[in-house]
């Protein structure tokens, strides 16, 4: 007789994906290098199924790790969503963070003092001594940031931007607000919706290098439309009121202010706000404060130097484009000598520029600027859209590639220490290595190994050289006969899905393949990494080119693999823009697609935010025909294929009204369909059981709809 604990079989991939938060738990992330290059701080939970993030320190010389801050030891084994301050809950939704505990932190200039929010309170961790202490504050805490000298911590709370003076024994003798809101819909130090969702700007306050002043964004949401998100499962609960900038309507009024800690009056930063209403970036370096602003049609971005004395501005650079100026994360920036680091589109290449001159070669597409260190620039770029590599530029050596293995790479560098993050087929959650003075130390990852192994075949299809990944069932043989097909795209401007790296979406595609499908993921026109012309092929029409590319890729794959694909049983699934593309496919090409699953699909583009939708379609008052042509609502009467609509009822990015309005139009037209509302879920459902069962429900729907046993 065998005794002991009962055998627990390994989880299925859907359960493992949900339990591990798509394999992010246990993986090291958000590294920061100290000013002397000797210490690397990072976040990591204790196990691949532990959602509570901890703060760690690593010795860059020896690779030895120390645990600095453990929420469980501080009395916070979990951080339930309901206990989060509203601003923090929104930050996590914008960043698609599903973990708890310590999910973000910031350091002083030396990289010694780390500040983080936990349970709405302010905590400080000293990387040298290991001391962790809670600091009393006047309000709940959002985005705490030490000043470069380590004497103050600024944070947003109660609508105000507040500062806390820290002395040696951990007592906070001062907590005051250099900027307080004049109205309950005015906030200091918190980014507006379009900045966080569409511009890559997650910050809204920046310290001066000497720690005596702050550059702070003020957001006045009174011009915005008031929308309501209700929970139909709890009719006694009042709806959540949100301010949302619907396309064609007013944006929040965003201004910049210079605040001094000596009590002098705040100074407003002055620029042509009527002509440039978007604040896309800001900062404060050794050459003073700066900002980048963009006009409403997004065809011009202006970089400004700010006079710290009176708030006046002067133009450092202008970028123009006939369609839109693409915002590159990390820009603008400046080198230690004051050279402006920016981007420029010349021909079909997005170049890195320094002082206005391109410093990267034709064909190398700039993706992100990761930082400057002295006179050098660390950035990522793609020569081949399925790979993103880590690069460095300096005046002496020019542009040098630092990564070699096919995959998606990024990193941080300071004082001779490079922290390299590589997402490859061997490490879908990303692996970190620390490089210093010839020594290489891998950072331990506790991320789980997937129970499913991916085996995609990367293809280049048709005259447009479409990048695609084909997934087949494990052990499939040509003699097994043709397979039903499932297209699994994102297909939109936000991301590239077909890469040489492992990813959680590759695992999902492989899981569907192992259920008996040939799964095809295709990156069509509009996706990043292939140059400005490719990206801007969707200008004025976000529907037709993207759908054409999915159809062409399917037909070309069938031609290249004769007898493999059953074109009489073709399904398509997607989420967000991919959900829009899936619904579009069965509505407009029912001759090709026989069933679709559309998750969180933007069905009426007038219901999405100003900055994202007007970038591609213009202002709806000026170009209503573009919005009409790309809307799915008018196509509802033509549906003749099975369609499953899935939407989180707490989604404040793609509002639930999108799927509900399409469902209403389908019902009014007498067109059968299925609608699955997900109670309490945002744009990316994170609940373990819900996330698992969503995949299982999609599989069941596709099997039923395509006539599979």
């Amino acid at each position: 007789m065998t005794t002991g604990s009962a055998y627990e079989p390994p989880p299925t991939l859907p359960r493992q994906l949900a339990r591990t938060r798509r394999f992010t738990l246990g993986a090291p992330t958000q590294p920061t290098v100290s000013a002397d290059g000797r210490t690397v701080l990072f976040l990591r939970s204790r196990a691949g199924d532990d959602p509570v993030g901890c703060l760690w320190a690593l010795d860059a010389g020896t690779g030895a790790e120390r645990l600095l801050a453990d929420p469980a030891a501080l009395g916070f084994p979990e951080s339930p969503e309901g206990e989060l301050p509203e601003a923090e809950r929104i930050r996590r939704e914008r960043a698609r963070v599903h973990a708890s505990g310590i999910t973000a932190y910031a350091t002083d200039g030396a990289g010694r003092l780390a500040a983080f929010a936990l349970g709405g309170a302010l905590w400080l961790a000293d990387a040298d001594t290991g001391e962790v202490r809670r600091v009393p504050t006047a309000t709940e805490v959002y985005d705490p940031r030490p000043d470069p000298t380590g004497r103050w911590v600024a944070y947003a709370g109660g609508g105000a931007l507040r500062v806390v003076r820290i002395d040696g024994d951990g007592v906070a003798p001062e907590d005051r607000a250099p900027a307080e809101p004049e109205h309950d819909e005015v906030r200091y130090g918190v980014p507006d919706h379009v900045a966080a969702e569409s511009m890559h700007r997650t910050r809204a306050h920046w310290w001066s290098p000497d720690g005596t002043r702050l550059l702070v964004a003020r957001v006045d949401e009174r011009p915005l439309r008031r929308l309501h998100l209700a929970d139909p499962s709890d009719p006694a609960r009042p709806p959540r009121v949100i301010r949302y900038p619907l396309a064609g309507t007013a944006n929040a009024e965003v201004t910049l202010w210079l605040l001094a800690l000596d009590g002098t009056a705040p100074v407003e930063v002055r620029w042509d706000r009527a002509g440039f209403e978007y604040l896309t970036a800001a900062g404060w370096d050794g050459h003073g404060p700066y900002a980048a602003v963009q006009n409403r049609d997004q065809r011009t971005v202006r970089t400004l130097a700010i006079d710290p004395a009176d708030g006046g501005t002067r133009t450092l650079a202008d970028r123009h484009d006939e369609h839109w100026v693409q915002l590159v994360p990390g820009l603008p920036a400046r080198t230690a000598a004051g050279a402006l680091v920016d981007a420029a589109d010349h021909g079909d290449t997005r170049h890195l520029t320094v002082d206005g001159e391109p410093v990267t070669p034709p064909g190398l597409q700039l993706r992100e600027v990761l930082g400057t260190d002295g006179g050098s620039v660390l950035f990522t770029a793609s020569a081949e859209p399925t790979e993103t590599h880590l690069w460095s530029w300096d005046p002496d050596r020019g542009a040098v590639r630092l990564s070699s293995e096919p995959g998606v790479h990024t990193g941080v560098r300071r004082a001779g220490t490079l922290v390299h993050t590589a997402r490859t087929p061997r490490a879908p959650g990303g692996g970190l290595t620390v490089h210093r003075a010839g020594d290489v130390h891998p950072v331990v990852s506790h991320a789980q190994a997937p129970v499913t192994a991916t085996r995609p075949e990367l293809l280049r299809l048709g005259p447009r050289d479409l990048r695609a990944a084909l997934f087949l069932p494990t052990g499939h043989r040509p003699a097994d006969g043709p397979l039903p097909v499932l297209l699994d795209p994102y297909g939109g401007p936000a991301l590239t899905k077909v890469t040489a790296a492992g990813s959680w979406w590759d695992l999902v595609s492989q899981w569907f393949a192992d259920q008996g499908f040939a799964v095809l993921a295709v990156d069509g026109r509009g996706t990043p990494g292939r140059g400005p012309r490719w990206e801007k092929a969707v200008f004025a029409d976000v529907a037709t080119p993207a759908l054409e590319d999915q159809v062409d890729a399917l037909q070309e794959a069938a031609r290249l693999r004769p007898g493999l694909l059953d074109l009489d049983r073709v399904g398509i699934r997607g989420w967000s823009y991919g959900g829009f593309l899936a619904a579009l496919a069965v509505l407009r090409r029912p001759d090709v697609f026989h069933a679709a699953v559309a998750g969180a699909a933007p069905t009426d583009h007038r219901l999405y935010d100003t900055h994202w939708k007007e970038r591609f379609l213009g202002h709806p008052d000026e170009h209503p025909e573009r919005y009409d042509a790309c809307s799915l609502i008018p196509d509802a009467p033509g549906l003749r294929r099975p369609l499953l609509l899935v939407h989180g009822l707490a989604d404040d990015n793609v509002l639930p009204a999108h799927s509900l309005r399409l469902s209403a139009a389908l019902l009014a037209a007498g067109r059968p369909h299925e609608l699955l509302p997900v109670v309490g879920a945002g744009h990316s459902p994170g609940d373990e059981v819900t996330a698992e069962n969503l995949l299982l429900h999609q599989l069941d729907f596709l099997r039923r709809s395509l006539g599979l046993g």
Side-chain angles (χ1 to χ4, degrees):
M1 177 181 292
T2 302
T3 60
S5 59
Y7 168 72
E8 182 177 347
T12 63
L13 181 74
R15 174 55 63 97
Q16 191 185 31
L17 275 166
R19 183 174 296 173
T20 64
R21 308 298 198 271
R22 299 170 179 172
F23 299 97
T24 59
L25 302 183
T29 185
Q30 299 184 44
T32 301
V33 182
S34 63
D36 60 10
R38 296 180 179 179
T39 303
V40 176
L41 302 183
F42 63 94
L43 299 181
R44 184 184 62 202
S45 65
R46 291 181 175 275
D49 56 0
D50 180 359
V52 181
C54 302
L55 179 63
W56 302 77
L58 179 141
D59 186 308
T62 66
E65 295 181 6
R66 292 178 290 125
L67 176 61
L68 286 182
D70 180 355
L74 301 175
F76 295 89
E78 297 180 0
S79 184
E81 193 75 8
E83 297 180 8
L84 293 174
E86 179 68 2
E88 174 63 12
R89 187 200 62 76
I90 292 173
R91 181 193 72 81
R92 295 189 187 187
E93 176 66 22
R94 299 285 82 80
R96 314 294 188 255
V97 172
H98 297 299
S100 60
I102 305 172
T103 62
Y105 69 99
T107 69
D108 62 358
R112 178 188 65 84
L113 185 68
F116 57 90
L118 188 62
L122 172 61
W123 297 79
L124 297 177
D126 190 310
D128 290 343
T129 66
E131 178 190 10
V132 180
R133 62 186 189 271
R134 180 172 179 169
V135 178
T137 57
T139 70
E140 61 188 20
V141 173
Y142 170 80
D143 195 20
R145 293 184 177 270
D147 85 276
T149 69
R151 295 173 299 173
W152 297 85
V153 175
Y155 69 93
L161 192 285
R162 308 191 65 89
V163 293
V164 179
R165 177 73 181 258
I166 306 301
D167 64 12
D169 59 8
V171 177
E174 286 187 76
D175 185 340
R176 51 193 172 91
E180 294 193 80
E182 308 84 353
H183 189 273
D184 60 4
E185 292 185 273
V186 172
R187 296 173 292 129
Y188 286 88
V190 178
D192 57 298
H193 176 93
V194 295
E197 187 65 51
S198 303
M199 299 181 191
H200 322 292
R201 182 171 66 79
T202 58
R203 293 186 59 178
H205 58 98
W206 302 266
W207 279 103
S208 64
D210 63 3
T212 63
R213 305 184 74 187
L214 285 149
L215 179 66
V216 179
R218 174 187 181 271
V219 176
D220 186 345
E221 293 188 328
R222 285 174 286 182
L224 296 179
R225 292 278 185 90
R226 182 181 280 108
L227 305 180
H228 300 81
L229 281 180
D231 182 359
S233 70
D234 185 2
R237 185 177 183 178
R240 178 176 151 224
V241 179
I242 63 173
R243 290 290 201 172
Y244 191 95
L246 295 169
T249 68
N251 282 300
E253 184 181 86
V254 181
T255 53
L256 275 175
W257 293 79
L258 293 158
L259 308 180
L261 301 189
D262 62 8
T264 56
V267 175
E268 184 174 4
V269 176
R270 303 186 305 279
W271 76 88
D272 175 15
R273 287 200 299 108
F276 294 85
E277 63 183 88
Y278 290 124
L279 174 67
T280 64
W284 200 324
D285 58 19
H287 303 279
Y290 61 88
V293 295
Q294 187 179 44
N295 61 351
R296 180 70 181 249
D297 68 16
Q298 302 187 46
R299 293 175 181 171
T300 302
V301 170
R302 178 164 294 169
T303 303
L304 304 171
I306 301 170
D307 188 327
D310 64 6
T313 57
R314 61 183 176 86
T315 300
L316 295 177
D318 274 343
R319 291 178 60 199
H320 304 280
D321 189 272
E322 62 177 324
H323 300 112
W324 73 83
V325 175
Q326 184 69 27
L327 301 178
V328 176
L331 292 180
R334 288 187 284 204
T335 67
L340 181 65
V341 180
D342 212 333
D345 293 350
H346 294 301
D348 201 23
T349 300
R350 178 159 299 127
H351 296 271
L352 177 74
T353 65
V354 178
D355 267 348
E357 295 298 320
V359 296
T360 49
L364 183 65
Q365 309 295 344
L366 177 66
R367 302 294 289 264
E368 181 176 4
V369 170
L370 304 167
T372 61
D373 187 19
S376 68
V377 183
L378 190 69
F379 64 99
T380 61
S382 297
E384 156 58 40
T386 61
E387 300 182 21
T388 300
H389 283 281
L390 188 62
W391 288 75
S392 178
W393 176 88
D394 64 59
D396 297 327
R397 298 191 302 163
V400 177
R401 197 171 98 173
L402 304 180
S403 55
S404 56
E405 186 177 2
V408 175
H409 301 261
T410 186
V412 296
R413 183 175 60 187
R414 193 179 186 192
T417 295
L418 171 69
V419 184
H420 176 198
T421 302
R423 183 163 57 82
T424 67
R426 294 182 294 104
L432 258 65
T433 52
V434 177
H435 303 251
R436 179 172 175 81
D439 294 327
V440 180
H441 301 290
V443 182
V444 174
S445 175
H446 303 309
Q448 290 187 9
V451 296
T452 296
T454 59
R455 291 165 293 277
E457 179 185 2
L458 297 185
L459 305 173
R460 299 172 71 153
L461 302 173
R464 285 189 291 277
D465 205 18
L466 296 165
R467 301 309 197 271
L470 178 63
F471 300 81
L472 299 178
T474 302
H476 178 264
R477 298 167 299 176
D480 293 341
L483 294 168
V485 186
L486 177 63
L487 271 73
D488 195 11
Y490 178 78
L495 62 87
T496 301
K497 195 170 184 181
V498 180
T499 72
S503 65
W504 69 267
W505 54 76
D506 281 356
L507 291 165
V508 172
S509 295
Q510 185 63 56
W511 179 77
F512 274 103
D514 287 340
Q515 313 313 308
F517 292 90
V519 178
L520 188 66
V522 181
D523 285 339
R525 282 168 287 178
T527 55
R530 285 193 65 171
R533 291 175 187 155
W534 183 265
E535 290 176 354
K536 293 170 184 178
V538 296
F539 180 72
D541 185 355
V542 296
T544 307
L547 182 55
E548 287 178 349
D549 287 344
Q550 298 299 314
V551 173
D552 290 352
L554 173 64
Q555 294 172 344
E556 181 65 13
R559 187 189 68 81
L560 290 176
R561 300 290 186 271
L564 175 63
L565 307 182
D566 183 351
L567 297 187
D568 291 326
R569 294 184 296 177
V570 178
I572 182 170
R573 65 176 293 273
W575 200 268
S576 197
Y577 182 89
F580 163 74
L581 191 51
L584 180 75
V586 290
L587 285 166
R588 298 193 182 176
R589 292 303 304 269
D591 56 318
V592 176
F593 299 96
H594 307 102
V597 177
T603 66
D604 180 350
H605 301 286
R606 289 180 175 87
L607 287 175
Y608 206 74
D609 76 59
T610 51
H611 194 268
W612 189 257
K613 285 303 170 189
E614 293 175 19
R615 179 185 309 175
F616 310 109
L617 300 178
H619 196 290
D621 291 347
E622 299 170 4
H623 302 284
E625 74 286 352
R626 296 177 182 173
Y627 285 80
D628 293 340
C630 294
S631 172
L632 301 181
I633 309 300
D635 293 299
L639 180 68
R640 66 175 196 261
R641 297 295 191 186
L643 171 61
L644 169 63
L645 302 173
V646 185
H647 219 117
L649 294 180
D651 192 341
D652 61 1
N653 178 22
V654 181
L655 303 169
H658 284 275
S659 289
L660 295 174
R661 288 189 181 183
L662 178 56
S663 177
L666 291 166
L667 186 63
R671 308 316 302 162
H673 64 286
E674 296 184 23
L675 173 64
L676 179 61
V678 187
V679 174
H683 192 57
S684 300
D687 173 76
E688 180 177 321
V689 174
T690 299
E692 176 187 21
N693 287 328
L694 277 177
L695 282 177
L696 296 174
H697 189 88
Q698 292 176 54
L699 175 63
D700 176 72
F701 171 83
L702 290 165
R703 281 176 167 164
R704 286 187 283 111
S705 301
L706 297 175
L708 307 177

